[in-house]
Amino acid sequence: MKKIERRQKIVDAGRILFATQGFEQTTMQNIADEVAIGVATVFRHFPRKELILFEIVSQLYKDQIPRFEHIENLGISPLEKVNLILEAYIDYLSEENFEMTKILETFELYVAFYDVEDEVLAQIQRVFRLIPALITRILEQGQQDGSIRSNLESPKIVTTIINLFGTAIKKYSLHASTKSLASYMPAVEELYTVKDFLIEHVIKNNEKEAET
């Protein structure tokens, strides 16, 4: 088994085990057993278990990028692209993406309670910022053609989309999949209503529409 292939198999095993039995409950020995290699080999690639988690999260972010790049390159208006981006977030509410949701939630909880080396965190942030940067480009194109409100700064709109809508979708997916009764969770149709609200009242330039 080649070094790169072995490293990826360790990451894949960690992704499965962290999602099914939890990060805290998974040991490096569990991961080694899943890959059928010695635990010392796992430690040579990843001296600490959390480094496997960080690599998984980085890859999860990278996996999302092609879909957003596809939207950016479509021959449609910037406003239509923003609409598709918001719908892409809703589309992640599927059973097959529940694993990803749990992994990301685990990562956020880890970062909230434990110190992470600045260099490691910076590597993840560089990947995470690719999608906001892409959305910013689309919004700026819409501001230039007049379809998107020019009196709102693009970074603020991006924050709204990523932190409000995107995070809400992720939380919805987590609670819906675990059938949590702790709080009311909106129906998917209601999420589309929130999406339409963002388009109509936060992003869309209604003054231009009124003039035409």
Side-chain angles (χ1 to χ4, degrees):
M1 191 185 300
K2 296 180 180 179
K3 184 176 181 180
I4 296 178
E5 180 183 354
R6 185 182 295 114
R7 178 184 175 88
Q8 186 58 50
K9 285 185 177 296
I10 293 171
V11 173
D12 293 340
R15 178 171 174 170
I16 293 171
L17 293 173
F18 293 162
T20 55
Q21 62 186 42
F23 175 76
E24 294 293 339
Q25 289 71 31
T26 300
T27 67
M28 296 291 260
Q29 185 63 60
N30 294 149
I31 295 172
D33 293 342
E34 184 75 16
V35 186
I37 59 176
V39 69
T41 302
V42 177
F43 276 105
R44 278 199 296 272
H45 286 277
F46 297 96
R48 302 190 310 279
K49 184 174 65 171
E50 61 266 27
L51 295 178
I52 301 177
L53 174 64
F54 300 156
E55 179 63 26
I56 294 168
V57 169
S58 180
Q59 291 186 14
L60 287 174
Y61 284 144
K62 289 178 182 176
D63 290 344
Q64 297 179 54
I65 293 172
R67 179 170 186 180
F68 290 93
E69 289 180 334
H70 172 72
I71 293 173
E72 182 183 23
N73 294 325
L74 289 173
I76 57 178
S77 72
L79 187 61
E80 291 173 309
K81 292 178 182 180
V82 172
N83 186 67
L84 288 179
I85 286 171
L86 293 176
E87 290 185 356
Y89 278 109
I90 297 177
D91 287 346
Y92 278 106
L93 292 177
S94 63
E95 187 174 341
E96 62 192 43
N97 288 318
F98 179 46
E99 172 194 286
M100 179 185 75
T101 302
K102 289 198 292 184
I103 292 291
L104 294 178
E105 187 77 5
T106 298
F107 167 71
E108 291 176 4
L109 287 172
Y110 186 93
V111 172
F113 288 99
Y114 300 96
D115 291 331
V116 179
E117 294 93 332
D118 291 340
E119 182 179 350
V120 174
L121 198 56
Q123 291 176 353
I124 297 175
Q125 288 175 336
R126 279 196 292 271
V127 178
F128 178 73
R129 288 169 182 159
L130 292 174
I131 292 177
L134 179 152
I135 298 174
T136 298
R137 291 195 298 270
I138 294 173
L139 291 168
E140 289 175 345
Q141 292 169 7
Q143 289 177 322
Q144 291 173 4
D145 71 15
S147 63
I148 291 175
R149 294 175 61 179
S150 60
N151 62 335
L152 292 176
E153 298 178 9
S154 291
K156 291 183 179 180
I157 303 175
V158 173
T159 300
T160 300
I161 294 173
I162 298 297
N163 290 343
L164 176 60
F165 195 75
T167 301
I169 292 292
K170 181 158 58 74
K171 295 293 184 182
Y172 173 93
S173 176
L174 183 67
H175 287 280
S177 298
T178 55
K179 297 180 174 58
S180 171
L181 299 177
S183 59
Y184 167 75
M185 299 305 298
V188 173
E189 292 77 12
E190 292 175 292
L191 296 173
Y192 275 97
T193 299
V194 175
K195 183 263 296 182
D196 292 339
F197 176 86
L198 285 172
I199 291 290
E200 188 67 27
H201 299 285
V202 179
I203 298 171
K204 185 177 179 180
N205 187 351
N206 290 305
E207 292 182 0
K208 180 186 178 184
E209 184 181 61
E211 291 174 359
T212 57

